[in-house]
Amino acid sequence: MTTKQPLPEAVLHPQAIISELKKNKITHVVWLPDSETNFMYQQLMSEPTMSLVPVAREGETMAIAAGLWVGGKKPVALIQNTGVFESGDSIRGLCLDINQPLVMLIGYRGWDRHGVTRDSAAKFIEHILHAWGVNYYLIETDEDASRISLALEEAERTSKPVAVLMGTEYGS
């Protein structure tokens, strides 16, 4: 008889994400900051190689990122999964219809790596991404952060948006 070992808690530090963004020469992070991502916000504000572009609504992230991309910059969008729902038409009309190679870093609110997902935001996000044909990667730890580079390579190769679902809160 075997006993199940509890899964270790996942830890994802902002610096692991920022290192991947720097390695891939990301110029701008278009983002709606929230209270849960304060550690990331503080570190991005002190990062001299990237500009942080705050928005008032998640739906604006796609239009601003598209404008930066048309202007020769290399942005990413950073929003929560609930923001993807709010951004639906701009993802369709900008990211998908103009073949924008945008990586969307998406906070996976409600995700539970232990198997029980009660939050409808978590229940619907993967279905929505499948419906739009947007491929995605899941990151939960610093070791997973290299998947951001995979997503960026895929977005460039396919000229399509790619999502990175961040399945844990940031550690300090």
Side-chain angles (χ1 to χ4, degrees):
M1 179 176 184
T2 60
T3 57
K4 276 188 154 180
Q5 296 294 321
L7 291 172
E9 288 302 315
V11 177
L12 180 61
H13 294 94
Q15 193 55 49
I17 295 169
I18 292 169
S19 292
E20 288 297 315
L21 298 178
K22 287 173 63 175
K23 185 169 79 177
N24 289 282
K25 301 183 178 8
I26 296 301
T27 59
H28 294 79
V29 177
V30 185
W31 182 19
L32 180 62
D34 60 47
S35 60
E36 294 179 8
T37 56
N38 186 43
F39 295 127
M40 182 72 150
Y41 180 79
Q42 290 175 352
Q43 290 194 26
L44 275 173
M45 286 299 289
S46 63
E47 176 52 53
T49 64
M50 286 179 268
S51 295
L52 184 61
V53 182
V55 297
R57 298 184 57 110
E58 288 93 344
E60 298 171 347
T61 58
M62 307 308 153
I64 292 170
L68 289 164
W69 172 64
V70 168
K73 303 300 182 187
K74 191 172 180 182
V76 295
L78 177 56
I79 59 177
Q80 193 178 58
N81 53 0
T82 55
V84 171
F85 307 140
E86 199 265 343
S87 304
D89 193 47
S90 61
I91 292 172
R92 178 205 53 81
L94 290 169
C95 299
L96 294 169
D97 286 356
I98 67 170
N99 299 321
Q100 181 185 5
L102 178 66
V103 168
M104 299 177 290
L105 303 170
I106 301 170
Y108 204 162
R109 189 187 103 182
W111 166 251
D112 187 339
R113 65 192 321 247
H114 301 287
V116 178
T117 301
R118 293 185 168 84
D119 188 322
S120 64
K123 288 179 182 175
F124 295 134
I125 189 63
E126 292 185 41
H127 298 291
I128 295 287
L129 294 172
H130 283 290
W132 287 332
V134 174
N135 195 26
Y136 60 88
Y137 297 85
L138 173 66
I139 62 173
E140 296 183 287
T141 66
D142 292 348
E143 290 73 29
D144 298 336
S146 62
R147 294 176 185 159
I148 293 171
S149 290
L150 294 175
L152 287 160
E153 291 166 16
E154 182 177 331
E156 285 294 326
R157 181 174 31 82
T158 62
S159 295
K160 294 287 182 192
V162 176
V164 175
L165 298 174
M166 297 186 297
T168 188
E169 306 237 344
Y170 301 112
S172 57

